[in-house]
Amino acid sequence: MDDQMERSQKIIISILYVLVVFGLSHLLGIGINSNINIPMQFLIVVLVSLLVKFFIYNPFILYILLSLSLILSVMVHRFIRPFIFDFLDRIIVLFKNIYNNFQGIENIQSENILFYWIIIVTVISLFTALSLFKRRFIYLLLPVYLSFYVIYWYNYYDISLGLLASFLFFFIILLGLYNYNKEKDSNSDGQSFLDIYPIWLRTTIAYSFIILALAIVLPKSYNYIRWDYLSRKVYSTFPIVEELRSYNEYTRSGGNALSFDFSITGFQNTTSRLGGPVELSQRKIMTIRAKEKTYLRGKVNHIYSGYSWEPYNFPFLQRRVGSTYNFYSFNERDMYNEEYISILNHRFSSTTIFTTLWPTEVITEKGNTYLMSGDREIVFGEGIYEGENYFVRVQRPEPYGIQVARGVLNYKEDLENINVYLSIPNNIITQRTRSLSRFITDGLDTDFQKASAIESYLRRNYEYKLDVEQVPEDKDFVDFFLFDSREGYCTYYASAMAILLRLEGIPSRYVEGYLAYDRIDSDLYEVRQEHAHAWVEAFIEPVGWMTFEPTPAYSTELRLENYIEPEDDDDIVTPGSETPTSPTDVDGPGIDADDDIRGPSRDPGGGDEPTPTPDETNNYLVFLVIVAGLLIVPFRFIYGFILYSKEIKKHKHKGDYRYLIYIYKQIITLNELLGYPQLPGETHFDYSKRIGYKFYDYNEAGFNEITNTFVETKYGDKEISKDHIMQFEKYRETLESKLRIHWGLRIYYYRKYVSKRYWKI
C-alpha cells in the first residue's frame, strides 16, 4: 500500500511538472511568434521535460551519450561528409539572433523559432525539475514563474492571465503534496498519514479550484478613474509605477496616435507657454540604429510670440512610401553621406516620423503614403505604434568647412518664405536683447562667424539647470532668460539663439524632438522621454541649413571651418561614393551544396591523382597571394597596437611630469589632424583661446583648462596630481573619438596602428 501511494504521488507530481512547464513554454512560444500547433507543443514539452528529469537522476548516461555523439560526429565529419563547421556556423547564427532579440534589435527569424523554443523548453524544464525533484525547494518556482506571467501580461499578452491562474492551481496542489510529504517524513506514525492521504489530496484540489474560480469570476474593468494630477505626483515620486501596463494606450488596437508635441516630454506643462520646472520621465520610447549621435526632428516652429513658439502653416505634400526624394543634386553627392536609420517604438505612438535634417526616403509596412512639408517635417497618418518600426534614408551633410572647400553654393536670396524665418515680434523683443545681439557679433563679417559666436556666447555665459522658476507672465521669455534668470534648459537656449540670429538677419528655425546620444551598442541608441530636446537650425551661406547646439549640456557638431581640401586623395574615401546599407538583409549569390567547386570532373574509379593544370596552379598561387595579403594588415595592426601600448607605457614610466607633457603633445597633434593646427609663433594660451570652444563639453575639462595645467606644470612649480593625468587622458580620448567620426573607423584605425601617422611624437 505504501509503495502504491509513493508511485501515485510521483506520477501526480510528474504530471503537474509537465503541465507547469507547458504553460510557461506555451506563453514564451507566443512571444517569439511560434506557429507550432498546441498538440505538437504539448508533445515536445512532454518529451523534453521527461528527458530532462531522467538525465537529472542519471547524469552519467547523459555524459556517455554526449561523448558517443561527439566521437560519432567527428568520424562522420572525417570519413563521410564534413558538417561540423557548418553546424557550428548555424549555432552561432542562432545564438546571435537570440542575443539580438534580447537586445530588442530584431525578431527571431522563422528558421530559428523551433530551435529557440526547444531551448526555452529545456531551460524551463531544467529549472523546474531541479526545484521539484533535486533541491525540493518548491517556493523558488513562485517568483520566477510569476515574473514571466506578469511581464507578458504587461506587454499585452492577455492569455498570460489564464495561464497564471492555471499555474497557481497546479502550484497549490504541488504545495499540498510537498507539505504532506514533509509532515509524513517528520512523523513516525506513517500509517496514519497513509489513511488521510486521499482526504488531503481532495482538500488541496478543492481549495485550489475555489481560489482559481474566485479569481476568474471577480468583476474586472479597464474603465479606471483618471486623475492626472495624482498620476504626475505618483510618477515623479515612484518612477517605476509609470512602467506598469497602460491598457493598450500605445498599441494599434487600443491607442490613438497623435502628432509629436513637446508638452508630452515633461519639458513643458502645456503647449501654450515655454519654461518652468520640468518633470522628466525615464520611460524608454524608441531604439535607434544609426552610425552616430542623431538629432531626431519632431516639430519645426517658426513664429515666436514672446512666451511660445508656433509652426507656420506651410503646405504638406503627399509622398509615396519607398520613393526617394533627394535634396542634394547629383553634382553635390560629395557633400553628404547617406545611410539608413531605423527606429523602433516601445511605449510610444505618434503620427510623426522622426528623422534628421535631410530625409530622402521613408520605408514602413503600415501604409503607402505620407506627408512632408517644405521644412521636411513628416507626418504618417497611419501612425507608428508600440512594437512597430520604420526606416528612413537620410543624407548627413559633411561639416561646414568641407562643403565650403568643395564649392557648395546656397544663398539666402533663393530661400523661399525667408520672411517667416526672419520674423520677429517687434513690440515684444526688448532693446537690451537687440543690443546684446550687436555686442556678440561686433566685428564679425560672415553669417557663420556670427552664428558660431552667438552659440558660443550662450554656452559659456548661462547655467544649464532643470529646476528653474516659472517665467513671469509680463516678461518676454528670451529677455527674462538672457538678463534676469540667466539659467535654464534647452528651450531657453534654443529660443534665445533663434531670436538673436534673426536680429542679425540670419534665417532660423526652432526645432523640437529628441537627441539620440545614449549609445548601448556600436550603432544602437536608446531614446527615453528625458532625451527630449530643442535646438536651432540656421541658414548659413554658402552651405544652407545647419544645426546649432547652444545648450551647454550637449556637445556641438564638428564643423572644420578651416578645412583645406587635400591634394592627394589616395586614402580619402569620397562619402558620396559609398552606397548606404539597405534596411533589409539581402543575401548575395552563394554556392549551393550541389555545385561542383572542385574543377574538372575526375574518374571516380580511382587511379593516379591527376596532375594540376597550369590554370589550377596559377589559381592556387593567386589564392595564396590573396590570403597572405589579407593576413598582412591584421598582423601589422596587432604589431602597431603593441608598439602603441609600449610607447604609452614607456612615457608613463618616465614619471607624471614627462607623461603629462607627452599627452599634451598628442592633444596638439590631434587638434591639427582635426583641422585646427597651432599657428607659427602662437603661444599656448593664444592657441587655446582661439580654438578652445570648438571642443567644449559640458561638465568636462576643456582645452583652456588643459592648457593652463600644462603651462603651469612645465613653466611653473605646479604639482601634478592623478586627477590632472586623468583629465588629460580623458580629453585625449574625446579628441580621438571626434577624429574617429571625422575619418571613419577604417581610416582611423589604419592610420593609428598600421601607418602610425599620428602617435609617433
Side-chain angles (χ1 to χ4, degrees):
M1 182 66 178
D2 190 12
D3 293 339
Q4 187 177 355
M5 286 290 185
E6 289 278 346
R7 284 195 298 272
S8 66
Q9 283 187 53
K10 289 181 179 179
I11 292 173
I12 293 173
I13 292 175
S14 296
I15 292 173
L16 293 173
Y17 156 67
V18 171
L19 293 174
V20 166
V21 171
F22 173 74
L24 186 55
S25 301
H26 177 63
L27 178 62
L28 297 182
I30 295 174
I32 62 173
N33 298 318
S34 170
N35 55 2
I36 310 171
N37 58 59
I38 293 180
M40 181 58 67
Q41 282 190 24
F42 185 75
L43 179 61
I44 293 174
V45 168
V46 171
L47 292 175
V48 173
S49 60
L50 293 181
L51 279 174
V52 168
K53 179 187 173 185
F54 174 79
F55 288 129
I56 282 178
Y57 284 109
N58 304 278
F60 186 69
I61 296 178
L62 176 63
Y63 300 150
I64 293 176
L65 290 177
L66 289 176
S67 301
L68 291 175
S69 299
L70 180 61
I71 295 171
L72 183 62
S73 299
V74 172
M75 293 177 65
V76 170
H77 178 83
R78 178 66 180 85
F79 298 107
I80 300 178
R81 180 180 178 182
F83 76 97
I84 291 180
F85 296 120
D86 292 337
F87 175 75
L88 292 177
D89 288 340
R90 184 70 182 84
I91 295 296
I92 292 172
V93 169
L94 171 63
F95 280 95
K96 184 177 180 180
N97 186 208
I98 293 172
Y99 175 77
N100 289 338
N101 180 253
F102 276 120
Q103 296 290 316
I105 301 173
E106 63 181 0
N107 294 325
I108 298 298
Q109 298 171 7
S110 57
E111 63 270 21
N112 293 334
I113 288 178
L114 176 60
F115 301 106
Y116 183 30
W117 187 72
I118 291 176
I119 293 173
I120 290 173
V121 174
T122 304
V123 173
I124 295 173
S125 300
L126 181 61
F127 168 75
T128 308
L130 289 172
S131 301
L132 286 178
F133 305 117
K134 274 292 186 181
R135 297 183 180 275
R136 295 186 179 274
F137 190 58
I138 188 174
Y139 294 101
L140 191 60
L141 297 177
L142 202 57
V144 175
Y145 273 76
L146 286 181
S147 297
F148 278 102
Y149 285 124
V150 170
I151 289 171
Y152 270 70
W153 168 80
Y154 157 70
N155 284 286
Y156 307 106
Y157 292 91
D158 290 328
I159 192 176
S160 62
L161 284 179
L163 293 173
L164 172 60
S166 301
F167 165 73
L168 292 175
F169 176 69
F170 299 140
F171 178 80
I172 294 174
I173 296 176
L174 284 169
L175 187 61
L177 293 173
Y178 176 80
N179 288 330
Y180 168 82
N181 288 323
K182 187 176 180 181
E183 290 293 328
K184 175 188 170 186
D185 293 339
S186 63
N187 195 297
S188 59
D189 189 5
Q191 187 61 37
S192 62
F193 269 85
L194 291 176
D195 295 337
I196 66 171
Y197 171 73
I199 302 173
W200 188 300
L201 185 59
R202 286 196 299 269
T203 304
T204 300
I205 295 175
Y207 276 116
S208 302
F209 181 78
I210 292 171
I211 293 171
L212 176 62
L214 286 174
I216 293 175
V217 302
L218 283 176
K220 294 171 283 291
S221 173
Y222 292 158
N223 298 320
Y224 54 93
I225 298 174
R226 296 180 181 271
W227 193 354
D228 293 336
Y229 172 77
L230 180 60
S231 297
R232 288 197 298 270
K233 289 297 181 184
V234 171
Y235 292 161
S236 61
T237 308
F238 306 103
I240 193 173
V241 174
E242 192 174 7
E243 299 298 323
L244 296 178
R245 178 169 163 155
S246 53
Y247 301 104
N248 298 330
E249 182 179 353
Y250 303 107
T251 62
R252 185 170 292 276
S253 60
N256 181 26
L258 302 173
S259 61
F260 171 74
D261 192 285
F262 210 55
S263 62
I264 69 171
T265 66
F267 277 96
Q268 288 179 207
N269 291 327
T270 66
T271 59
S272 59
R273 287 200 81 81
L274 294 164
V278 302
E279 295 181 1
L280 298 184
S281 166
Q282 293 187 349
R283 173 164 58 89
K284 183 170 74 171
I285 58 173
M286 290 182 280
T287 300
I288 314 296
R289 182 175 289 281
K291 293 181 179 178
E292 59 186 76
K293 178 187 75 174
T294 302
Y295 286 87
L296 297 171
R297 306 164 85 242
K299 186 178 182 181
V300 179
N301 296 279
H302 311 88
I303 309 302
Y304 177 67
S305 66
Y307 53 84
S308 67
W309 284 92
E310 297 295 335
Y312 187 79
N313 191 25
F314 285 130
F316 280 75
L317 300 179
Q318 189 175 78
R319 310 277 194 179
R320 291 195 61 81
V321 169
S323 297
T324 303
Y325 304 90
N326 290 319
F327 297 99
Y328 287 92
S329 67
F330 179 78
N331 293 329
E332 296 176 321
R333 62 189 181 277
D334 61 342
M335 303 296 181
Y336 60 85
N337 295 303
E338 277 197 336
E339 68 169 289
Y340 280 97
I341 64 172
S342 66
I343 301 180
L344 171 66
N345 281 6
H346 296 288
R347 295 188 62 241
F348 184 68
S349 63
S350 179
T351 57
T352 299
I353 296 292
F354 292 89
T355 180
T356 65
L357 178 58
W358 301 106
T360 63
E361 180 186 6
V362 175
I363 300 175
T364 175
E365 298 177 352
K366 301 301 180 182
N368 299 317
T369 61
Y370 60 90
L371 300 176
M372 178 185 286
S373 74
D375 283 330
R376 293 166 298 285
E377 281 185 276
I378 300 179
V379 176
F380 183 61
E382 300 290 330
I384 304 295
Y385 290 85
E386 180 177 25
E388 298 176 354
N389 68 334
Y390 56 95
F391 299 88
V392 183
R393 187 176 185 173
V394 300
Q395 295 173 334
R396 292 191 186 267
E398 289 284 7
Y400 169 85
I402 294 180
Q403 292 194 65
V404 172
R406 293 177 181 174
V408 66
L409 294 174
N410 291 299
Y411 299 107
K412 285 189 288 187
E413 61 188 34
D414 299 326
L415 181 62
E416 296 183 5
N417 304 302
I418 188 173
N419 292 333
V420 175
Y421 305 115
L422 292 172
S423 63
I424 296 173
N426 290 319
N427 59 331
I428 293 176
I429 302 302
T430 63
Q431 186 58 43
R432 58 180 181 176
T433 300
R434 299 173 188 271
S435 299
L436 178 63
S437 172
R438 291 192 296 271
F439 169 77
I440 297 173
T441 60
D442 183 39
L444 301 178
D445 299 324
T446 68
D447 285 352
F448 177 78
Q449 291 174 336
K450 294 177 181 180
S452 298
I454 292 172
E455 178 189 55
S456 178
Y457 181 86
L458 293 172
R459 293 175 64 87
R460 287 167 171 247
N461 294 283
Y462 297 88
E463 181 183 358
Y464 181 81
K465 190 176 181 181
L466 297 176
D467 186 16
V468 295
E469 60 179 306
Q470 196 71 48
V471 179
E473 293 188 5
D474 60 341
K475 290 278 191 179
D476 170 41
F477 178 75
V478 170
D479 180 87
F480 180 77
F481 167 63
L482 290 176
F483 303 103
D484 296 334
S485 69
R486 302 185 65 85
E487 61 185 18
Y489 42 89
C490 57
T491 57
Y492 291 77
Y493 290 90
S495 297
M497 182 169 183
I499 295 301
L500 291 173
L501 287 170
R502 292 182 179 188
L503 288 172
E504 292 303 313
I506 302 174
S508 66
R509 299 188 291 227
Y510 173 86
V511 186
E512 297 169 333
Y514 295 95
L515 180 54
Y517 64 90
D518 187 7
R519 189 194 299 264
I520 59 175
D521 203 347
S522 59
D523 59 350
L524 202 63
Y525 296 82
E526 255 185 12
V527 178
R528 301 180 181 274
Q529 280 292 21
E530 63 180 348
H531 297 154
H533 190 44
W535 61 94
V536 175
E537 292 172 355
F539 191 93
I540 304 297
E541 294 181 342
V543 169
W545 288 106
M546 291 178 57
T547 299
F548 284 87
E549 182 55 85
T551 306
Y554 307 96
S555 60
T556 59
E557 294 190 324
L558 197 65
R559 303 208 175 106
L560 302 178
E561 55 264 38
N562 297 320
Y563 177 83
I564 299 175
E565 191 77 351
E567 296 180 2
D568 183 10
D569 58 353
D570 290 342
D571 56 354
I572 300 296
V573 179
T574 303
S577 66
E578 294 186 355
T579 303
T581 305
S582 171
T584 54
D585 292 329
V586 180
D587 292 330
I591 300 173
D592 294 333
D594 296 333
D595 291 344
D596 189 355
I597 62 172
R598 295 171 297 176
S601 59
R602 292 174 171 83
D603 182 8
D608 295 334
E609 186 71 13
T611 304
T613 64
D615 287 341
E616 287 178 327
T617 304
N618 291 335
N619 290 338
Y620 182 69
L621 291 175
V622 170
F623 173 75
L624 288 179
V625 171
I626 292 174
V627 171
L630 292 175
L631 290 176
I632 288 174
V633 174
F635 279 119
R636 284 287 305 274
F637 178 88
I638 295 171
Y639 179 68
F641 177 81
I642 294 172
L643 285 182
Y644 179 72
S645 302
K646 291 177 67 175
E647 185 81 6
I648 295 293
K649 289 181 180 179
K650 180 180 74 175
H651 286 279
K652 276 187 177 181
H653 290 324
K654 291 181 179 180
D656 290 344
Y657 172 77
R658 291 185 176 275
Y659 182 53
L660 186 135
I661 293 176
Y662 171 72
I663 299 176
Y664 187 78
K665 289 182 180 179
Q666 284 188 314
I667 289 172
I668 296 296
T669 303
L670 290 169
N671 283 340
E672 183 178 346
L673 293 172
L674 286 168
Y676 303 101
Q678 189 171 6
L679 301 178
E682 190 174 30
T683 67
H684 294 301
F685 282 128
D686 291 339
Y687 180 45
S688 67
K689 288 178 181 178
R690 179 168 62 85
I691 74 162
Y693 73 94
K694 301 179 185 299
F695 305 113
Y696 177 78
D697 283 316
Y698 182 68
N699 276 344
E700 290 184 8
F703 187 52
N704 291 328
E705 184 178 345
I706 294 292
T707 300
N708 289 338
T709 302
F710 166 75
V711 173
E712 291 174 3
T713 300
K714 185 173 182 180
Y715 303 105
D717 56 356
K718 184 171 183 176
E719 294 185 2
I720 304 173
S721 67
K722 295 299 181 184
D723 290 339
H724 292 140
I725 299 295
M726 290 177 62
Q727 282 183 348
F728 274 57
E729 289 177 336
K730 188 171 185 180
Y731 192 76
R732 179 181 61 189
E733 291 174 3
T734 300
L735 293 182
E736 287 183 330
S737 176
K738 292 180 182 294
L739 190 61
R740 237 184 344 258
I741 295 172
H742 175 50
W743 278 350
L745 288 176
R746 185 179 59 181
I747 295 176
Y748 170 81
Y749 285 114
Y750 176 82
R751 291 177 177 177
K752 183 173 182 179
Y753 296 124
V754 179
S755 65
K756 302 186 284 281
R757 282 185 56 173
Y758 78 81
W759 61 265
K760 273 283 187 184
I761 298 175

